[in-house]
Amino acid sequence: MEASLLNAIRSGDRRALSRAISAVESGGETTGVEPSPDLIGITGPPGAGKSTLISALIATLRDRGETVAVLAVDPSSPVTGGSLLGDRIRMQSHIDDDGVYIRSMATRGHLGGLAEATRTAAALMSEAAFDRVIVETVGVGQSEVEIMGLAGVVVLVVGPGWGDQIQADKAGIVEIADVFVVNKGDRPGVDEVKRALQEVADARDARVLVTTASTGEGVDELLAEIDLLVA
């Protein structure tokens, strides 16, 4: 990658950042830079409300005056191979905010919950000097744990009704989480899931939090826990 392009990214040029990420997605030259060690990874099964929670996190961080970059890994379109853009649409209320940069990235068949270019794209976002860089995995199953090797803090988001799955299989993504979040806290079944997660969390000295992303409830507590872990 040309030094001039990297310098433009470091100076805050968002178009340069977008061009560089597009080039990396297309198989272009990697940068040799690494993601920030305090990168936040948000993972969990489909339907847990990860994107809505990230949108709430963005709102709270912006209220604090922090800038935020989000890399949302989406399923690939079966027709074009590109991203289905579902996560960008869910976060659309922040699109016009100059302090927020949101980029969707298709998996393109890559396994593990991320795309092949995710690490380099996250590194480029780190070079752009955002206060926070968040990577959201595609909706994952138990074995898709690649986010562990990228993020400094991994937040596992699940919803009500996931308790049976936790009891049946405590391996995989449950084992890599630094913070457990039961989202959609206003729905039935939250207490059951929280109890099931608590057993795993206690073994890892981790916390189980409850959020309702649609209202912002619990988001401040989640950010406080993330800040504690990256400090």
Side-chain angles (χ1 to χ4, degrees):
M1 182 172 293
E2 295 181 2
S4 59
L5 182 58
L6 193 54
N7 287 336
I9 291 169
R10 288 168 174 163
S11 70
D13 188 331
R14 301 295 174 81
R15 292 184 178 179
L17 176 59
S18 294
R19 289 200 306 272
I21 293 175
S22 294
V24 170
E25 277 193 284
S26 300
E29 180 184 357
T30 58
T31 63
V33 295
E34 287 295 320
S36 170
D38 57 2
L39 184 146
I40 302 165
I42 307 289
T43 191
K50 296 186 296 297
S51 298
T52 306
L53 182 58
I54 291 173
S55 183
L57 287 168
I58 293 171
T60 302
L61 289 167
R62 292 298 293 139
D63 285 344
R64 296 182 182 182
E66 297 188 46
T67 56
V68 188
V70 178
L71 185 59
V73 183
D74 293 336
S76 298
S77 166
V79 177
T80 66
S83 170
L84 290 176
L85 302 180
D87 295 295
R88 183 185 294 180
I89 291 170
R90 294 187 190 99
M91 301 174 204
Q92 63 184 345
S93 62
H94 305 288
I95 291 294
D96 295 327
D97 184 344
D98 291 338
V100 179
Y101 179 86
I102 299 172
R103 175 74 181 230
S104 289
M105 175 173 287
T107 57
R108 300 189 181 188
H110 186 76
L111 301 178
L114 301 178
E116 187 173 354
T118 298
R119 185 176 190 86
T120 302
L124 289 167
M125 287 178 169
S126 297
E127 289 294 313
F130 289 98
D131 295 315
R132 305 278 183 153
V133 178
I134 300 172
V135 174
E136 177 190 5
T137 73
V138 72
V140 298
Q142 281 288 347
S143 63
E144 294 163 303
V145 297
E146 193 171 340
I147 188 66
M148 179 178 65
L150 174 63
V153 175
V154 176
V155 179
L156 173 63
V157 183
V158 301
W162 210 63
D164 290 342
Q165 180 64 34
I166 298 167
Q167 295 294 352
D169 187 357
K170 293 188 174 70
I173 58 172
V174 175
E175 290 187 331
I176 70 167
D178 299 298
V179 186
F180 298 91
V181 174
V182 185
N183 192 33
K184 304 181 182 180
D186 55 343
R187 299 187 182 181
V190 170
D191 290 341
E192 177 188 354
V193 178
K194 185 177 180 181
R195 284 194 298 270
L197 280 174
Q198 194 65 59
E199 180 182 339
V200 182
D202 287 345
R204 294 178 49 80
D205 194 25
R207 291 191 65 193
V208 181
L209 305 177
V210 176
T211 62
T212 303
S214 59
T215 64
E217 185 176 354
V219 172
D220 285 335
E221 187 178 6
L222 173 57
L223 274 175
E225 184 67 14
I226 292 171
D227 289 341
L228 183 64
L229 291 169
V230 300

